[in-house]
PDB file of all heavy atoms in Angstrom:
ATOM      1  N   VAL A 453      13.831  -4.063 -13.298  1.00  0.00           N
ATOM      2  CA  VAL A 453      13.379  -4.725 -14.527  1.00  0.00           C
ATOM      3  C   VAL A 453      12.330  -5.733 -14.092  1.00  0.00           C
ATOM      4  O   VAL A 453      12.652  -6.774 -13.533  1.00  0.00           O
ATOM      5  CB  VAL A 453      14.544  -5.422 -15.263  1.00  0.00           C
ATOM      6  CG1 VAL A 453      14.029  -6.122 -16.518  1.00  0.00           C
ATOM      7  CG2 VAL A 453      15.637  -4.415 -15.617  1.00  0.00           C
ATOM      8  N   ASP A 454      11.081  -5.405 -14.322  1.00  0.00           N
ATOM      9  CA  ASP A 454       9.984  -6.202 -13.775  1.00  0.00           C
ATOM     10  C   ASP A 454      10.049  -7.653 -14.245  1.00  0.00           C
ATOM     11  O   ASP A 454      10.484  -7.954 -15.372  1.00  0.00           O
ATOM     12  CB  ASP A 454       8.644  -5.588 -14.190  1.00  0.00           C
ATOM     13  CG  ASP A 454       7.478  -6.212 -13.455  1.00  0.00           C
ATOM     14  OD1 ASP A 454       7.272  -5.873 -12.280  1.00  0.00           O
ATOM     15  OD2 ASP A 454       6.797  -7.070 -14.063  1.00  0.00           O
ATOM     16  N   VAL A 455       9.601  -8.556 -13.376  1.00  0.00           N
ATOM     17  CA  VAL A 455       9.652  -9.989 -13.662  1.00  0.00           C
ATOM     18  C   VAL A 455       8.895 -10.341 -14.943  1.00  0.00           C
ATOM     19  O   VAL A 455       9.195 -11.346 -15.604  1.00  0.00           O
ATOM     20  CB  VAL A 455       9.104 -10.787 -12.458  1.00  0.00           C
ATOM     21  CG1 VAL A 455       7.617 -10.548 -12.268  1.00  0.00           C
ATOM     22  CG2 VAL A 455       9.418 -12.269 -12.589  1.00  0.00           C
ATOM     23  N   SER A 456       7.918  -9.520 -15.318  1.00  0.00           N
ATOM     24  CA  SER A 456       7.173  -9.776 -16.550  1.00  0.00           C
ATOM     25  C   SER A 456       8.082  -9.792 -17.775  1.00  0.00           C
ATOM     26  O   SER A 456       7.790 -10.468 -18.772  1.00  0.00           O
ATOM     27  CB  SER A 456       6.070  -8.730 -16.739  1.00  0.00           C
ATOM     28  OG  SER A 456       6.615  -7.424 -16.772  1.00  0.00           O
ATOM     29  N   GLN A 457       9.213  -9.052 -17.717  1.00  0.00           N
ATOM     30  CA  GLN A 457      10.153  -9.070 -18.839  1.00  0.00           C
ATOM     31  C   GLN A 457      10.743 -10.468 -19.024  1.00  0.00           C
ATOM     32  O   GLN A 457      10.897 -10.953 -20.145  1.00  0.00           O
ATOM     33  CB  GLN A 457      11.264  -8.042 -18.592  1.00  0.00           C
ATOM     34  CG  GLN A 457      10.795  -6.608 -18.529  1.00  0.00           C
ATOM     35  CD  GLN A 457      10.301  -6.090 -19.856  1.00  0.00           C
ATOM     36  OE1 GLN A 457      10.960  -6.265 -20.892  1.00  0.00           O
ATOM     37  NE2 GLN A 457       9.137  -5.454 -19.857  1.00  0.00           N
ATOM     38  N   GLY A 458      11.074 -11.111 -17.911  1.00  0.00           N
ATOM     39  CA  GLY A 458      11.584 -12.473 -17.995  1.00  0.00           C
ATOM     40  C   GLY A 458      10.531 -13.450 -18.473  1.00  0.00           C
ATOM     41  O   GLY A 458      10.813 -14.342 -19.292  1.00  0.00           O
ATOM     42  N   PHE A 459       9.302 -13.280 -17.977  1.00  0.00           N
ATOM     43  CA  PHE A 459       8.218 -14.161 -18.407  1.00  0.00           C
ATOM     44  C   PHE A 459       7.978 -14.037 -19.908  1.00  0.00           C
ATOM     45  O   PHE A 459       7.774 -15.033 -20.610  1.00  0.00           O
ATOM     46  CB  PHE A 459       6.925 -13.825 -17.652  1.00  0.00           C
ATOM     47  CG  PHE A 459       6.953 -14.177 -16.191  1.00  0.00           C
ATOM     48  CD1 PHE A 459       6.125 -13.514 -15.290  1.00  0.00           C
ATOM     49  CD2 PHE A 459       7.785 -15.168 -15.706  1.00  0.00           C
ATOM     50  CE1 PHE A 459       6.134 -13.836 -13.939  1.00  0.00           C
ATOM     51  CE2 PHE A 459       7.808 -15.501 -14.358  1.00  0.00           C
ATOM     52  CZ  PHE A 459       6.981 -14.829 -13.470  1.00  0.00           C
ATOM     53  N   MET A 460       7.996 -12.801 -20.410  1.00  0.00           N
ATOM     54  CA  MET A 460       7.756 -12.591 -21.844  1.00  0.00           C
ATOM     55  C   MET A 460       8.870 -13.188 -22.688  1.00  0.00           C
ATOM     56  O   MET A 460       8.613 -13.775 -23.749  1.00  0.00           O
ATOM     57  CB  MET A 460       7.595 -11.103 -22.134  1.00  0.00           C
ATOM     58  CG  MET A 460       6.277 -10.510 -21.659  1.00  0.00           C
ATOM     59  SD  MET A 460       5.993  -8.813 -22.244  1.00  0.00           S
ATOM     60  CE  MET A 460       7.120  -7.916 -21.180  1.00  0.00           C
ATOM     61  N   MET A 461      10.105 -13.033 -22.239  1.00  0.00           N
ATOM     62  CA  MET A 461      11.227 -13.610 -22.979  1.00  0.00           C
ATOM     63  C   MET A 461      11.100 -15.128 -23.032  1.00  0.00           C
ATOM     64  O   MET A 461      11.264 -15.744 -24.102  1.00  0.00           O
ATOM     65  CB  MET A 461      12.541 -13.205 -22.311  1.00  0.00           C
ATOM     66  CG  MET A 461      13.792 -13.788 -22.964  1.00  0.00           C
ATOM     67  SD  MET A 461      14.047 -13.172 -24.634  1.00  0.00           S
ATOM     68  CE  MET A 461      15.516 -14.099 -25.116  1.00  0.00           C
ATOM     69  N   PHE A 462      10.790 -15.730 -21.894  1.00  0.00           N
ATOM     70  CA  PHE A 462      10.659 -17.181 -21.849  1.00  0.00           C
ATOM     71  C   PHE A 462       9.488 -17.656 -22.709  1.00  0.00           C
ATOM     72  O   PHE A 462       9.598 -18.649 -23.444  1.00  0.00           O
ATOM     73  CB  PHE A 462      10.476 -17.638 -20.400  1.00  0.00           C
ATOM     74  CG  PHE A 462      10.379 -19.127 -20.244  1.00  0.00           C
ATOM     75  CD1 PHE A 462      11.434 -19.943 -20.602  1.00  0.00           C
ATOM     76  CD2 PHE A 462       9.222 -19.710 -19.736  1.00  0.00           C
ATOM     77  CE1 PHE A 462      11.352 -21.327 -20.462  1.00  0.00           C
ATOM     78  CE2 PHE A 462       9.135 -21.093 -19.596  1.00  0.00           C
ATOM     79  CZ  PHE A 462      10.200 -21.894 -19.953  1.00  0.00           C
ATOM     80  N   THR A 463       8.372 -16.947 -22.649  1.00  0.00           N
ATOM     81  CA  THR A 463       7.214 -17.298 -23.473  1.00  0.00           C
ATOM     82  C   THR A 463       7.563 -17.254 -24.952  1.00  0.00           C
ATOM     83  O   THR A 463       7.191 -18.157 -25.725  1.00  0.00           O
ATOM     84  CB  THR A 463       6.042 -16.339 -23.193  1.00  0.00           C
ATOM     85  OG1 THR A 463       5.649 -16.485 -21.821  1.00  0.00           O
ATOM     86  CG2 THR A 463       4.861 -16.624 -24.095  1.00  0.00           C
ATOM     87  N   ALA A 464       8.290 -16.205 -25.363  1.00  0.00           N
ATOM     88  CA  ALA A 464       8.671 -16.077 -26.773  1.00  0.00           C
ATOM     89  C   ALA A 464       9.569 -17.240 -27.206  1.00  0.00           C
ATOM     90  O   ALA A 464       9.397 -17.798 -28.301  1.00  0.00           O
ATOM     91  CB  ALA A 464       9.377 -14.747 -26.998  1.00  0.00           C
TER      92      ALA A 464
END
Side-chain angles (χ1 to χ4, degrees):
V453 179
D454 190 77
V455 67
S456 58
Q457 297 292 313
F459 291 156
M460 287 189 285
M461 178 65 183
F462 182 62
T463 297

